[in-house]
Each structure stands twice: as structure tokens, then as C-alpha cells.
Amino acid sequence: MEKYYMAAMGGAEGFGNRSIALVVKYFGSAKTAWKASVADLVKSGVRKPSLEAFLNFRQTHPDAPDKLVGYCQRQKIKLCSIFDEDYPPLLKEIDTAPAFFYYRGNLQPNAQRIGIVGSRHNTSYGQNVALELGRELAAAGLTVVSGAARGIDSFAHRGALETGRTVAVLGCGINVIFPRENKKLFEQIAEAGVVLSEFPPQLPPNQGTFPTRNRVIAGLSRGIIVVEADSKSGALITSDRANDYGRDVFAVPGQIYAKMSRGCNELIRDGATLIKNAQDVLNEYNLVAAVKSEPEAVEPIILDDTAVKVLEVIPFDRYISDDEILMQVEEILPNELPDIILELDRKGCIIEEIGRYKRKLGG
């Protein structure tokens, strides 16, 4: 029950990890801190604005810890606190470690993890690199960590799911699907890895949640690989945090004139390790790549009728948008298209570039 008192405190906006750590240390337990008098709470050393936020929240939600227990049980959400045995030791090392987080899946706290991050607005080059790195690093036994965002993050997760485990660190509450098209991907990750968030379960994303999320990606990982990023990409916040925590930073080079490679090329200029493939990363950690089996006979791709109709209108020689597809396939609704596109992508039928698609030769 102790962890639920900690998580309930985290529901007070402005009462964060440092404040929680202060009151738990001062009172000896989160439960005692939750029930403490105002006078005693003042003595704990928490800053006045943070303390006021907690007191207002506690007054409005006096039974928040008990309600949180029931909510997590109904929603099949697990809760891990920094005092639990299954809290990842590597994450505990950082000075801003989350006091707790919500998760679905199987934690495996001592797993060897590598972060793969990059821009939401990826190119086909970045997509292919992220898929390959995710696939080959997971096959070698590393757990791939990323932020579950549109673009490079999603492709890194998808590659890892083909051969091993992956961890998605969300920039929103665990019961918020963002981006919407990743609903099935989140479900797959929870089955073959972990989806986690330190935010209240129903908190939508905002400008401040993503940098907060990025430090957890860096904290969980032995190293961070930046696949594709412009010079102002949020992925560079993750690499900065990795540097702060003494973790390795790797970057995939790109053309010097390519906007989406500027951030990576600058990282390499400033000392990040250049990598060309997964083997370069494995060499850094003295790990052995998975032995590739003999190629098997290619099985035919099986699609349902709706997916076939969508695939038929996607050309080989140019990219088209969601709107163009919907204009030509009138029997599907806009909210159905993301799942169909995800199926076509996972089965190797299409190539995606910044929200547009073209058909893959042979797909």
C-alpha cells in the first residue's frame, strides 16, 4: 500500500519526485506523510509552493490512495516504487529517478537495455535504420528502449518486437494512447516487454511531459542511439541526459545537406560514437550478434479484403497521403485507416515517409 500513497502524492501538480523523497525520508513512510499535519509537513523542508499543491490536492482527494488501488486493479495497471525490488537498478542511479511509475508488461529490472531515439518526421533512410537496429540489437539480447512516439521511436519498437523485447516510456499517462495510431503497437509491447509512465494514468501529453520522459529513457539505458534528428529535435534532449548520467551516446551519420541528419552529424562532431550498424554497438559491449539462420521459403502475404483494397490504391512510384487513400477507398472510415496502414507496414507491403506512403516493390 505504501507505493500507492507515493503515487497519490504524485497526483498533486507541482509536488514531484524531490518533494516526495523529502517527505518520505522525513516521516519514514509515504502513508505517514500523507496523513501528517500541516505543521509537521512544513518541518519536512518541502518548498512552500509544492507543499501548498500537495495540501490542496489532499483536501480535494482525501481518499486518493485507496481509489488508486481500485483503479489500477480494474485497469490491470501495475505500480512500481523506487523501494521495490523490481525497480530497475540502472534507473535508480540517476539523481532525478522517478519515485514510482505505472506499467504494463514484465519489467525484468536487470535486463541490458539500449535506447534508440530520433525524429517524429523520419525519412525512409531513418525508418530502415531504426527497424534494422531494433531488430538486430534485440536479437542479440538487448532490450530496446524508446519513447513510443510517431517516427523513429515506433520503428525501433517494431524492429525489436520481431526478435526480442522492448520498453516504451510514455510522455503521457499509461491509459492515454498517443499517438492514436500506436494503439496496437502499445498492446504488442505490453505483451512482449513493458509500457511504462511516471505520470498519472489519464494525463494527456503536454510540452513538459516529453523532456521529463526523455530522462527516463536515458536513465534506463546503458547507451542511447540517435538515428535521425534535426538540430532542434527532442531526441537530443535524451542524448544530453545520457551524457549527464555517464551513459554512452551513439549517432548514425547522414548526408551533410540532409535536414534530418543535422543533429546526428553534430553529435558525432561533438564526440558521440559513430555507428554504421548494430554490430558497431555490440562491439562496444562485447556482445555477440545473433546467428542468422538459413533463409526460409518466403510465405505469401495474407491480407483481409479491406487491406487489399487500400494496398491497391497505393502506387509504387510516388507517396500518397491518408486523405488520398480515403478518397479512393470510400468504404473505410478515417479512424480505421491507421490500423490498416500498420498491418501493411508490418507485413512489408509499403514504405512510409512523414505520414505518406508508397507501395514497396515486391510487396
Side-chain angles (χ1 to χ4, degrees), residues 71 77 102 104 170-178 186 195-206 209:
Y71 180 85
I77 300 169
Y102 302 91
R104 288 190 175 98
L170 306 185
C172 55
I174 196 166
N175 267 0
V176 177
I177 305 298
F178 183 83
F186 288 0
V195 177
L196 67 84
S197 170
E198 65 180 300
F199 302 111
Q202 299 185 74
L203 181 77
N206 61 59
T209 57

Side-chain angles (χ1 to χ4, degrees), residues 20-58:
I20 293 171
L22 265 176
V23 297
V24 171
K25 183 177 181 180
Y26 182 82
F27 291 101
S29 80
K31 181 178 180 179
T32 304
W34 178 269
K35 298 184 176 183
S37 68
V38 175
D40 286 341
L41 283 165
V42 169
K43 296 175 186 176
S44 68
V46 175
R47 293 184 308 112
K48 184 177 179 180
S50 298
L51 185 55
E52 289 177 348
F54 168 62
L55 291 172
N56 289 334
F57 181 82
R58 185 177 68 174

Side-chain angles (χ1 to χ4, degrees), residues 59-314:
Q59 183 176 6
T60 308
H61 306 281
D63 55 353
D66 293 322
K67 283 190 172 181
L68 190 56
V69 173
Y71 180 85
C72 289
Q73 289 174 346
R74 290 192 303 274
Q75 297 294 319
K76 298 181 180 178
I77 300 169
K78 302 171 188 175
L79 183 63
C80 180
S81 86
I82 199 166
F83 302 115
D84 292 343
E85 291 183 0
D86 53 355
Y87 191 97
L90 199 62
L91 181 59
K92 195 180 291 188
E93 291 178 4
I94 70 174
D95 58 0
T96 57
F100 60 87
F101 57 81
Y102 302 91
Y103 71 99
R104 288 190 175 98
N106 182 8
L107 273 182
Q108 294 192 8
N110 296 306
Q112 299 280 6
R113 292 177 292 270
I114 188 80
I116 302 178
V117 296
S119 175
R120 290 173 172 82
H121 306 293
N122 64 279
T123 66
S124 56
Y125 166 71
Q127 168 186 326
N128 292 334
V129 171
L131 281 168
E132 181 180 298
L133 286 172
R135 183 185 303 121
E136 295 188 5
L137 292 172
L142 288 169
T143 296
V144 171
V145 183
S146 198
R150 182 181 290 117
I152 295 301
D153 290 16
S154 292
F155 290 115
H157 288 306
R158 290 173 187 169
L161 284 171
E162 293 179 19
T163 58
R165 279 177 50 84
T166 186
V167 174
V169 185
L170 306 185
C172 55
I174 196 166
N175 267 0
V176 177
I177 305 298
F178 183 83
R180 293 295 305 173
E181 65 263 26
N182 276 357
K183 184 176 186 296
K184 281 192 174 180
L185 180 62
F186 288 0
E187 292 170 356
Q188 292 165 347
I189 294 172
E191 290 177 3
V194 182
V195 177
L196 67 84
S197 170
E198 65 180 300
F199 302 111
Q202 299 185 74
L203 181 77
N206 61 59
Q207 192 172 6
T209 57
F210 293 107
T212 300
R213 179 273 313 268
N214 292 350
R215 90 188 193 293
V216 176
I217 296 174
L220 282 168
S221 306
R222 293 183 66 177
I224 293 293
I225 304 168
V226 184
V227 171
E228 195 170 47
D230 66 25
S231 55
K232 295 182 179 180
S233 171
L236 302 184
I237 297 175
T238 311
S239 64
D240 286 344
R241 296 292 79 76
N243 268 321
D244 294 342
Y245 305 149
R247 310 293 159 81
D248 301 312
V249 177
F250 306 96
V252 177
Q255 297 181 18
I256 60 173
Y257 301 114
K259 180 177 184 292
M260 299 313 301
S261 290
R262 289 175 187 169
C264 291
N265 291 340
E266 289 168 5
L267 282 175
I268 293 167
R269 178 199 64 196
D270 295 338
T273 301
L274 183 155
I275 63 164
K276 306 180 297 299
N277 50 43
Q279 188 61 56
D280 288 342
V281 179
L282 297 176
N283 289 343
E284 290 288 325
Y285 299 125
N286 296 317
L287 297 173
V288 179
V291 177
K292 295 183 179 179
S293 59
E294 291 297 320
E296 299 177 359
V298 178
E299 295 183 4
I301 297 172
I302 300 174
L303 302 171
D304 62 35
D305 292 344
T306 308
V308 170
K309 289 178 181 178
V310 171
L311 184 60
E312 286 175 346
V313 303
I314 300 176

